[in-house]
Amino acid sequence: MTTPHNHAAADSAPAFEDPLSKGLPAHRALQVARQILGGPHLSVLATANADGSAQMSVIFVKPDGDDILFSTIEGRRKTTNMSRDPRVTLLLQSLTPSATGGAYATVHGTVELTDDPDSTFHQEMYDLHMGGATPPPEPGAHRVIVRVRPQRAYAPFPYSSE
């Protein structure tokens, strides 16, 4: 059984507005992203699966000049997705509300993958985010360094308590 389409309701729906056109100006949104990266934060990576659906992972990241770096393993879904389609989005959420008003930012960009054969960068990330803990063993794993090159960003206007 098919349901008739209500053209009147569809015609009266508001036009789609790109959320990236709202919020802070692009240069300011990138500043917010950098502020968030400078303190305790949560980072979520979004890549596109082959069928177009989203694949998301919580990851440790580190700023490197204007770029953002992280470590992963060859063969993981996110790595396979980035090798096929280098476009990614990072959600950065501040964990110190007083520093940025509980702000978040999204960074959209493309990635470049390079080898990390001795896992030196992986250990560097553990030093930074896990207090120098030794990463768990990964027999046969081939580590790669992912460099995100930001192309655009979004950050909401600061929250107001008024």
Side-chain angles (χ1 to χ4, degrees), residues 14 37 43 117 119 152 159:
L37 287 170
S43 303
S119 296
R152 60 186 179 144
Y159 300 116

Side-chain angles (χ1 to χ4, degrees), residues 149-160:
R149 297 190 186 279
Q151 295 175 332
R152 60 186 179 144
Y154 167 81
F157 287 107
Y159 300 116
S160 173

